[in-house]
């Protein structure tokens, strides 16, 4: 198989890679999960929201997560997705293409 055919096959195999590289997906997930949902729940049920002990625990977990420097849960989700989908860096794919061209 020629290098060009292999490159085209790899590119077609990961059609969403360019979309994932933009970071837009992480921004949407972080905004939706981390901000809007809690605001909606708190605005609909303010008294129940404030008296729920689970909210206090989750708040402490979130503050600890922010303290560690991992300010965005999107990085964690992206790492899990990278592991599960077995995504590779572009350099790795180029090395494979160079090795198969020889």
């Amino acid at each position: 198989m020629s290098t060009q055919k292999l490159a085209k096959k790899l590119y077609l195999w990961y059609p969403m890679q360019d979309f994932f590289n933009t970071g837009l997906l992480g921004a949407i997930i972080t905004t939706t999960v981390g901000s809007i949902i809690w605001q909606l729940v708190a605005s609909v049920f303010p008294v129940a929201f404030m008296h729920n002990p689970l909210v206090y625990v989750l708040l402490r977990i979130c503050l600890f997560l922010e303290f560690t420097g991992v300010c965005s849960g999107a990085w964690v989700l992206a790492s899990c997705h990278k592991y599960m989908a077995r995504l590779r860096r572009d350099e790795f794919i180029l090395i494979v293409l160079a090795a198969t061209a020889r």
Side-chain angles (χ1 to χ4, degrees):
M1 181 179 283
S2 73
T3 305
Q4 291 174 343
K5 287 183 181 179
L6 184 60
K8 189 174 183 180
K9 187 176 181 181
L10 286 174
Y11 181 74
L12 292 176
W13 186 254
Y14 298 111
M16 296 298 291
Q17 185 65 42
D18 291 334
F19 178 69
F20 291 138
N21 286 341
T22 63
L24 181 64
L25 185 63
I28 291 170
I29 290 172
T30 303
T31 302
T32 303
V33 175
S35 178
I36 296 173
I37 292 176
W38 286 103
Q39 291 175 7
L40 290 174
V41 170
S43 67
V44 174
F45 307 106
V47 176
F49 184 79
M50 295 304 290
H51 289 290
N52 189 349
L54 180 65
V55 171
Y56 179 77
V57 172
L58 289 176
L59 179 64
R60 286 297 192 177
I61 291 171
C62 291
L63 288 174
F64 176 75
L65 187 65
E66 185 176 348
F67 172 75
T68 60
V70 184
C71 294
S72 176
W75 290 107
V76 178
L77 292 175
S79 297
C80 293
H81 178 261
K82 180 181 173 183
Y83 176 76
M84 288 187 287
R86 298 182 184 148
L87 296 176
R88 302 281 187 243
R89 295 185 59 85
D90 291 338
E91 292 85 8
F92 177 78
I93 294 173
L94 293 174
I95 291 169
V96 170
L97 288 174
T100 56
R102 293 181 194 169

